[in-house]
Amino acid sequence: MNNDADFAKNFNTLSRRGFLKSAALGAGTTALGALLGQNAHALEKAKYQLGQGSLGSPHFKPKAKRVINLFMAGGPSQHDMFDYKPKMKDMFGKDLPEEIRNGQRLTGMTSGQDSFPIAPTKYDFKQYGESGSWVSELLPYTSKMVDDLTFIKSMHTEAINHDPAITYIQTGSQQPGHPSMGAWLSYGLGSENANLPNFVVLHSSWTGRKSAQALYNRLWGSGFLPASHQGVSFQSNGDPILYLTNAKGVNADVRRTMLDGLRNLNEQHFEKMADPSIQSRIAQYELANRMQSSVPELTDLKKESKATLDLYGPDVHKPGTFAYNCLMARRLAERGVRFTQIFHRGWDQHQDIAKDLPNQCRDVDQACYALVTDLKARGLLEDTVVTWGGEFGRTIYCQGKLTKENYGRDHHPRSFTTWVTGGGFKPGITYGESDEFGYNIVKDPVHIRDLNRTVLHQLGIDHKRLSVKHQGLDQTLTGVEESHLIKGIIS
């Protein structure tokens, strides 16, 4: 691809001629760049213009324009929510058969256990909708929309610990330094709204286990892509974006004069250095200026109807809750934002599922239902892909003390559940199947690469052709290993 060749050429040019001088630009531009998380190693094609992606246009007719990713960080327990295994009730406390585990890799948290006692779910399951999908009592709102969802019960990954697993599903690699899906879509497809970031990240409060795994900003980073494509993380307190409000004594005219002067200096510097990241800085400063009016309008909920607010539930009035962020995701989708990422932490239930898991489900259940229902009512679900899931699932055997009323579960990457909806995915179906223990996949396995490839496909992207040459490889979101399009779940 010519764009990729230009990008690689610019990378080499900068590394030879521009590094030392660009490192001496000083703290002023660094502080301004912090508005959008600009980093000192930003690389951008000089000809890059807002709204124009590297692909020019999708490779084929897309079914979707945008993605909302609802990420349950920590590994939600499929056994207690979606993947019903009734035979396990008769095996309470019995050791997981060796032929099922078959020497598979365990985490350090349970590898030393003398036994692996089976912990059947304590929660009641029922079938709902015309599809007859199984959902537990923990998710009463989700049960009402099963005919809009595509359940995938055969997800799997090689990663068994949180950070590499989250990094893997977000970027296609267990090693840090690769672009996230949002960055790839921003880079490839460009922007539909000149006044908002193309990739927005929202962090949610949670009421389950408080000691949750940290989330690092590289999970929504641009990796080796230009820095302008990284996710912009909104805050729940104060300005949604750092430095959105002008400093005391600085009005709009003063800010405009400052930006014009800075732009002039940057353009002079670009003429001398041919450093493509300078053009990226100029574009980001201008976007930051436009966001001073667009972001306050985005976060003002006064024009939302009472019926809409009630749909999302009482937490929608509290900035930073999952319900509030889901409403923000719908508003971002309306405004053409390409990728919205909502993180909800605290799903790492090694113990005390009876206390923590109901709280986690309560945080997200009504809000997920509201988001899907709201998008559908506004005609946005047709061209918006919504995905829900975590980095892996949890074991059928217990970690720690087992009783019929409480238990814990360790990480389980061999088989877990996610759901998708909208954007041309077939509604009301269940794809894939795990064995009677929910331990191994027995039908239609889906690797995380397969799901990422399929989401790209729905956006009109050939996963192999959205690539950048880096470290001697044609780097893609799906990596260099084989991936498959999940034809059974798309229309």
Side-chain angles (χ1 to χ4, degrees):
M1 185 184 298
N2 290 335
N3 286 332
D4 294 342
D6 294 342
F7 181 67
K9 181 179 179 181
N10 287 330
F11 181 92
N12 292 331
T13 299
L14 176 63
S15 63
R16 286 195 302 267
R17 295 192 296 160
F19 175 74
L20 291 176
K21 190 164 184 178
S22 65
L25 285 176
T29 53
T30 302
L32 282 172
L35 178 62
L36 290 178
Q38 171 77 2
N39 70 59
H41 303 291
L43 295 171
E44 181 63 284
K45 297 189 292 285
K47 64 182 180 181
Y48 176 81
Q49 298 295 323
L50 186 66
Q52 179 186 3
S54 66
L55 299 179
S57 61
H59 297 126
F60 41 84
K61 185 177 180 179
K63 295 289 182 68
K65 295 180 179 178
R66 66 194 73 85
V67 176
I68 298 173
N69 178 235
L70 311 175
F71 196 81
M72 310 296 112
S77 174
Q78 74 279 14
H79 298 290
D80 298 288
M81 301 169 71
F82 300 117
D83 201 10
Y84 185 42
K85 301 299 178 185
K87 292 184 179 181
M88 294 298 96
K89 290 186 178 181
D90 295 331
M91 297 192 68
F92 175 84
K94 295 181 180 179
D95 205 33
L96 180 70
E98 178 58 33
E99 63 268 21
I100 299 299
R101 189 165 66 85
N102 197 26
Q104 290 168 357
R105 184 183 178 195
L106 303 176
T107 74
M109 290 166 284
T110 54
S111 60
Q113 289 188 182
D114 294 331
S115 64
F116 300 93
I118 290 172
T121 181
K122 64 169 286 184
Y123 300 105
D124 291 333
F125 274 71
K126 291 181 181 178
Q127 289 179 286
Y128 295 91
E130 295 182 6
S131 60
S133 299
W134 290 97
V135 180
S136 90
E137 61 182 304
L138 292 174
L139 300 166
Y141 283 92
T142 301
S143 68
K144 296 194 291 185
M145 64 172 178
V146 292
D147 289 338
D148 290 318
L149 306 182
T150 304
F151 288 101
I152 306 173
K153 295 188 177 179
S154 54
M155 293 294 299
H156 65 100
T157 178
E158 293 84 9
I160 199 168
N161 290 313
H162 293 290
D163 189 63
I166 296 177
T167 304
Y168 201 4
I169 199 168
Q170 296 290 326
T171 71
S173 173
Q174 295 187 52
Q175 286 74 42
H178 291 252
S180 58
M181 178 184 281
W184 276 114
L185 293 183
S186 175
Y187 174 72
L189 297 179
S191 173
E192 290 187 316
N193 188 329
N195 298 319
L196 286 171
N198 208 18
F199 175 14
V200 172
V201 181
L202 303 169
H203 299 275
S204 307
S205 57
W206 69 97
T207 59
R209 179 186 177 189
K210 288 303 179 183
S211 56
Q213 292 287 324
L215 298 176
Y216 301 100
N217 58 12
R218 56 178 166 74
L219 295 174
W220 52 93
S222 58
F224 44 76
L225 296 179
S228 56
H229 300 297
Q230 65 189 347
V232 176
S233 183
F234 280 28
Q235 300 189 117
S236 57
N237 296 314
D239 284 343
I241 299 174
L242 291 174
Y243 315 120
L244 190 67
T245 303
N246 286 328
K248 187 176 181 180
V250 177
N251 59 29
D253 291 339
V254 171
R255 172 61 65 92
R256 183 68 262 171
T257 300
M258 180 191 72
L259 287 174
D260 288 343
L262 184 60
R263 182 188 187 106
N264 182 51
L265 290 172
N266 275 327
E267 287 177 343
Q268 293 179 40
H269 188 56
F270 176 75
E271 290 179 4
K272 294 178 182 178
M273 295 298 300
D275 179 353
S277 68
I278 296 172
Q279 297 291 78
S280 179
R281 286 196 199 101
I282 293 172
Q284 286 191 285
Y285 295 158
E286 293 297 328
L287 172 60
N289 187 53
R290 294 192 296 273
M291 287 197 311
Q292 289 192 306
S293 60
S294 63
V295 170
E297 185 276 331
L298 166 72
T299 57
D300 183 0
L301 304 185
K302 293 178 183 177
K303 292 183 180 180
E304 294 288 347
S305 69
K306 183 178 184 300
T308 297
L309 295 174
D310 289 346
L311 178 66
Y312 284 86
D315 281 350
V316 77
H317 300 285
K318 305 172 187 175
T321 62
F322 188 81
Y324 177 90
N325 287 340
C326 281
L327 180 54
M328 284 297 105
R330 191 223 76 205
R331 293 171 67 85
L332 289 163
E334 283 180 312
R335 289 157 176 78
V337 170
R338 186 72 66 185
F339 194 93
T340 301
Q341 175 91 63
I342 303 180
F343 286 106
H344 186 259
R345 297 161 64 196
W347 291 87
D348 194 21
Q349 272 86 48
H350 288 275
Q351 290 144 2
D352 215 2
I353 275 182
K355 175 186 174 183
D356 290 339
L357 186 58
N359 289 335
Q360 291 294 105
C361 290
R362 198 176 302 115
D363 287 346
V364 305
D365 182 37
Q366 183 174 355
C368 288
Y369 169 76
L371 174 61
V372 173
T373 302
D374 201 4
L375 290 170
K376 188 177 180 180
R378 295 168 189 268
L380 288 167
L381 191 60
E382 294 179 4
D383 57 7
T384 303
V385 173
V386 182
T387 64
W388 183 102
E391 65 270 35
F392 39 57
R394 308 208 77 83
T395 57
I396 189 63
Y397 60 79
C398 180
Q399 176 180 346
K401 184 178 179 180
L402 170 64
T403 70
K404 288 193 175 182
E405 292 303 316
N406 205 358
Y407 44 88
R409 302 191 189 278
D410 200 4
H411 308 166
H412 190 63
R414 297 287 301 180
S415 176
F416 59 101
T417 299
T418 191
W419 60 252
V420 295
T421 186
F425 282 90
K426 290 180 181 178
I429 68 169
T430 294
Y431 186 88
E433 183 181 345
S434 61
D435 62 23
E436 63 182 354
F437 296 89
Y439 199 93
N440 296 301
I441 295 169
V442 296
K443 182 181 179 183
D444 297 327
V446 176
H447 193 274
I448 57 173
R449 286 189 299 271
D450 303 332
L451 181 59
N452 284 343
R453 173 178 172 176
T454 305
V455 171
L456 291 180
H457 179 272
Q458 296 306 93
L459 288 135
I461 296 173
D462 180 337
H463 72 115
K464 288 186 177 180
R465 295 167 64 191
L466 178 57
S467 67
V468 164
K469 184 76 75 176
H470 179 68
Q471 294 182 339
L473 297 172
D474 291 324
Q475 301 279 4
T476 69
L477 174 64
T478 53
V480 297
E481 297 178 70
E482 186 178 7
S483 64
H484 304 91
L485 182 66
I486 318 170
K487 296 180 181 179
I489 65 174
I490 55 177
S491 58

